[in-house]
Amino acid sequence: MRNKLDLSLYLVASKGRKSDAFFLNTLENAIKGGVSIVQLREKELSARKFYELGLKVQKLCKAYQIPFIINDRLDIALALDADGVHLGQEDLEPHLARRLLGEEKIIGLSLKKLEQLAFIQGADYLGCGAIKTTPTKKSSLLSLDTLMKISQKSPLGVVAIGGINKDVIKELKGINLSGIAVFGAIMHAKDAFLAAKELKREINENLSLK
């Protein structure tokens, strides 16, 4: 999967207070609508609960043959033999994570400063943001000018993240991206299938993905 990575519509998913069944149904509808990769991000769950939920999400992703990524938790990614992990700047450096995960796994890295491009060895793609204000993560905003400069200089694919919806995608036109990552635009939508389908259409109409 590492060599055939489709980052076009990257879903960051958290269960919150939903039941497992409702959550998994939302994910399946989103995948049917065009989501190309799923990252499971669970900040509140214990390691055991995270692992148990991960098994269910992993099974779903395997059924649809799309990558399943764990946010931050390298231990959970290893325990599940997930397709990869997404690391923050405070997590283990990607070249060290690569030693543990092996050459076949996917490693993503959060990045928001040009100077951080010097420390991306071992990563496969970069998640850059937040582009807009988002309730899921307290973070300073990344200007579109900086996003463009990062995408121009990065040897890796860049995924824009943070408060992105179908209207924001139009603002990203002309920036050399590999995809966009969303949370609320799908997870909080009334119909995850239609939400994903509309996002995919906007991506295809406005972005020239690399």
Side-chain angles (χ1 to χ4, degrees):
M1 280 190 176
R2 187 184 174 197
N3 296 324
K4 301 177 182 178
L5 203 51
D6 180 357
L7 299 165
S8 57
L9 183 50
Y10 188 126
L11 177 60
V12 180
S14 296
K15 186 170 83 92
R17 297 184 178 181
K18 303 180 185 74
S19 68
D20 285 9
F22 186 91
F23 175 62
L24 292 167
N25 185 61
T26 299
L27 289 187
E28 184 167 17
N29 286 329
I31 293 168
K32 288 179 178 178
V35 161
S36 60
I37 182 169
V38 171
Q39 178 196 130
L40 185 60
R41 181 180 187 268
E42 296 293 347
K43 295 291 189 179
E44 307 299 327
L45 294 183
S46 67
R48 183 185 294 272
K49 292 293 186 183
F50 195 163
Y51 173 79
E52 290 172 350
L53 180 62
L55 284 173
K56 296 175 182 179
V57 178
Q58 183 179 45
K59 182 179 179 180
L60 178 64
C61 289
K62 280 184 176 180
Y64 287 93
Q65 298 183 318
I66 69 168
F68 170 55
I69 306 294
I70 294 294
N71 182 71
D72 289 347
R73 296 290 299 272
L74 190 57
D75 57 334
I76 302 294
L78 284 165
L80 287 165
D81 192 25
D83 295 311
V85 67
H86 186 89
L87 303 170
Q89 287 293 317
E90 299 79 26
D91 296 318
L92 202 62
E93 293 177 52
H95 71 96
L96 296 175
R98 175 66 64 200
R99 287 187 200 172
L100 294 170
L101 289 174
E103 291 301 318
E104 299 304 314
K105 300 299 185 180
I106 301 162
I107 298 178
L109 179 68
S110 294
L111 183 146
K112 66 190 311 174
K113 297 178 181 178
L114 272 168
E115 50 267 35
Q116 291 170 337
L117 283 172
F119 307 100
I120 62 174
Q121 181 187 353
D124 294 299
Y125 70 90
L126 305 175
C128 297
I131 306 304
K132 300 289 183 180
T133 303
T134 168
T136 60
K137 193 172 184 181
K138 294 180 180 178
S139 177
S140 57
L141 296 183
L142 179 72
S143 71
L144 294 186
D145 181 61
T146 301
L147 176 64
M148 180 174 284
K149 288 176 181 176
I150 290 172
S151 69
Q152 288 171 342
K153 294 180 180 296
S154 174
L156 304 178
V158 172
V159 177
I161 187 171
I164 296 175
N165 56 35
K166 62 180 182 179
D167 296 321
V168 175
I169 292 172
K170 295 180 177 67
E171 299 178 35
L172 302 175
K173 196 168 187 175
I175 300 178
N176 195 19
L177 298 172
S178 291
I180 58 121
V182 300
F183 171 72
I186 287 178
M187 299 308 296
H188 293 160
K190 289 182 179 180
D191 188 322
F193 173 80
L194 288 178
K197 204 169 183 62
E198 288 177 357
L199 286 165
K200 197 78 169 185
R201 183 175 65 244
E202 291 295 332
I203 290 167
N204 292 335
E205 290 179 358
N206 292 283
L207 303 182
S208 299
L209 302 180
K210 69 173 184 178

